[in-house]
Amino acid sequence: MGKPRPHKKKASKSKSKSVLSAGGSVSKQKMNEDPSKLLEQATTLLQTGQPDVALPVAQRALDLTPANSPAQLSALNIVAEIYVELGEIDVARQHFMRAVELDPTGAIPESQGGGAEKFLWLAQLSELGGKDSVQWFEKGVSCLRQVIQQLEQNPGPAEAIELEEKKRKMANALCAVAEIYMTDLSWEEDAEARCETLITEALLVNSNAPEVLQTLASIRISQLRTDDARAALTKSLELWKDLPPEDPIVPDFATRISLARLLMEVTMELEALEVLERLILEDDQSVEAWYLGGWCLYLLAEKKEAPKDDELDSETPEAKRHASLVASREWLKQSLTLYESIQYEDVRLKEHADELVETMNKELGEDMEDDMEGEEGDEGWEDEIESDGDQEMADS
């Protein structure tokens, strides 16, 4: 259960008297509080990673806004987003639902707190998932279509920037629905046809978005069209792989984790490892990134290959296999260490990592000398990742 919404405590009688005797300062302060200014402050706090500080400010703004007003609609959305950031999903959902009651079709402009955003949030926060999520996504997409049409009729520099942002949001929503039809609703008779329709529209809306091309690849994999999937993934990678991490075109961390899995699925292990090395540079506490890197290196070892390294190019296939196995074991050990330290909850990941490490121990041995060799190898891999990262920074 989420935390209850904070309520203002009533002052005791003695305290009330002292305040009133001071000239009614509290009531004057309330009269001078501007909900719009409070919402601006709360939004800034949220965007700078301070949701716990933002909450009472946004809640105060909500308490001060007139019922059924655009200001209340804006406040509800901001309070809901803060609760999402705090992990209070039930309370966030309640606030978004109240926002829907005020703007059931998304017809109220975003500048007044309306628009598609609340529908897209409810799609992601749905307890039921499946068709319920699809319904909310469709409401959001419908709303975005109308906004896009209006922006296209009034071209201008500011409108062009907003148009691109809305197209990106709409394409991502369409892809999210396609993902649902590939998973929760895959049993539906028209699931494949719906996926094809959705990805076609997403490509029309935003053909050069890495996330859209990644979803296209996922659909092609499910259709056993592996070559088409590889082509889509290659194009997706080319759009951002040479850009700095802060560039808005670079997909978020979770999307790139999924990308690594897709690359491994279509036997593009070298490309997957490049993605994972970059992710480790950005967050070396990611259990899944270390795990996938170890698994990826294990798959390379099975093919008697090693990651791109001039020193290994002249080595024999067996030497390359050994190098990949040593590195794989160290990545997986790091994953398991982090798994325990942060109490990660994916039991299947741990079981698979343990299984892979046990398999490699039988081939590499478990004596101290080999462990030291593995540690040296791990340092080498870390140095290589760091040097690659330094090179990326220099290039940018």
Side-chain angles (χ1 to χ4, degrees):
M1 291 294 292
K3 297 178 182 176
R5 282 173 46 197
H7 294 285
K8 295 183 179 179
K9 295 181 180 178
K10 294 182 179 178
S12 64
K13 291 183 179 179
S14 59
K15 187 174 182 181
S16 298
K17 288 179 180 177
S18 64
V19 169
L20 289 171
S21 64
S25 59
V26 170
S27 60
K28 283 184 179 179
Q29 182 183 355
K30 283 186 177 180
M31 289 175 65
N32 292 331
E33 283 184 326
D34 183 346
S36 64
K37 297 294 183 185
L38 291 170
L39 289 179
E40 286 179 15
Q41 182 185 351
T43 301
T44 300
L45 289 166
L46 177 61
Q47 291 172 345
T48 54
Q50 304 175 73
D52 51 337
V53 183
L55 181 59
V57 179
Q59 184 64 54
R60 189 158 72 251
L62 178 58
D63 292 341
L64 291 169
T65 55
N68 303 320
S69 66
Q72 186 183 45
L73 185 55
S74 296
L76 283 167
N77 283 315
I78 292 173
V79 171
E81 289 188 32
I82 293 171
Y83 274 119
V84 170
E85 200 65 28
L86 292 171
E88 303 288 354
I89 304 303
D90 290 341
V91 188
R93 192 185 298 111
Q94 291 166 15
H95 282 76
F96 281 128
M97 288 300 296
R98 286 177 61 194
V100 169
E101 290 174 7
L102 297 180
D103 182 29
T105 64
I108 296 175
E110 275 191 21
S111 59
Q112 299 178 34
E117 201 67 20
K118 56 188 169 295
F119 303 129
L120 301 179
W121 272 116
L122 286 167
Q124 297 172 72
L125 303 179
S126 172
E127 287 183 292
L128 302 174
K131 291 185 176 180
D132 186 62
S133 288
V134 168
Q135 168 200 324
W136 288 116
F137 273 125
E138 287 177 343
K139 279 181 175 288
V141 167
S142 176
C143 184
L144 287 167
R145 276 199 195 98
Q146 295 176 20
V147 174
I148 289 170
Q149 288 172 2
Q150 293 168 3
L151 291 169
E152 288 176 335
Q153 292 170 5
N154 300 286
E159 288 79 9
I161 294 172
E162 187 179 359
L163 178 61
E164 288 305 308
E165 193 270 333
K166 292 294 182 287
K167 284 184 173 182
R168 179 190 60 79
K169 192 167 288 187
M170 179 176 166
N172 286 346
L174 290 165
C175 287
V177 178
E179 293 285 352
I180 293 172
Y181 275 103
M182 283 190 286
T183 52
D184 294 354
L185 299 180
S186 60
W187 47 269
E188 294 272 347
E189 290 184 8
D190 61 344
E192 184 175 352
R194 281 181 175 267
C195 285
E196 203 63 41
T197 300
L198 289 159
I199 196 60
T200 298
E201 184 175 4
L203 287 165
L204 286 171
V205 172
N206 200 359
S207 60
N208 285 321
E211 297 88 348
V212 174
L213 291 165
Q214 192 170 317
T215 301
L216 172 62
S218 185
I219 292 171
R220 295 295 176 255
I221 289 171
S222 69
Q223 296 170 333
L224 304 180
R225 296 167 57 179
T226 307
D227 289 342
D228 291 339
R230 288 196 190 98
L233 291 172
T234 300
K235 185 176 179 183
S236 177
L237 266 173
E238 288 173 350
L239 291 169
W240 63 266
K241 67 177 183 178
D242 296 323
L243 299 175
E246 64 273 11
D247 194 291
I249 295 177
V250 177
D252 63 28
F253 198 94
T255 300
R256 284 178 284 158
I257 286 285
S258 299
L259 170 62
R261 286 183 175 275
L262 291 173
L263 288 166
M264 291 165 64
E265 200 167 341
V266 296
T267 66
M268 295 175 68
E269 290 91 356
L270 291 175
E271 291 82 356
L273 193 59
E274 288 182 15
V275 172
L276 292 163
E277 287 174 344
R278 179 166 171 161
L279 290 174
I280 291 297
L281 276 173
E282 294 176 26
D283 180 9
D284 63 3
Q285 299 299 299
S286 170
V287 173
E288 196 168 5
W290 283 107
Y291 158 73
L292 288 173
W295 186 12
C296 190
L297 284 158
Y298 182 83
L299 294 174
L300 284 171
E302 290 291 280
K303 296 162 71 172
K304 297 186 177 180
E305 293 180 11
K308 296 173 183 176
D309 188 327
D310 292 339
E311 294 181 4
L312 292 173
D313 285 346
S314 59
E315 297 290 336
T316 65
E318 286 303 323
K320 291 180 180 180
R321 171 180 170 80
H322 184 269
S324 288
L325 285 176
V326 170
S328 170
R329 184 166 65 175
E330 294 310 315
W331 278 65
L332 291 168
K333 282 183 177 179
Q334 180 64 19
S335 172
L336 290 168
T337 299
L338 288 171
Y339 185 102
E340 296 298 335
S341 66
I342 66 175
Q343 298 182 334
Y344 203 65
E345 295 181 351
D346 189 340
V347 177
R348 293 177 64 186
L349 180 152
K350 181 181 186 301
E351 290 174 348
H352 188 219
D354 282 333
E355 180 186 337
L356 291 174
V357 170
E358 184 179 348
T359 300
M360 286 185 282
N361 283 342
K362 292 177 181 177
E363 180 170 342
L364 297 174
E366 297 182 77
D367 59 322
M368 184 64 67
E369 182 179 348
D370 186 66
D371 285 343
M372 291 177 65
E373 178 188 349
E375 289 169 12
E376 291 171 4
D378 186 45
E379 288 179 10
W381 285 103
E382 289 179 355
D383 291 342
E384 182 179 332
I385 293 173
E386 289 173 8
S387 74
D388 287 347
D390 293 340
Q391 185 61 45
E392 284 180 16
M393 294 292 289
D395 291 342
S396 61

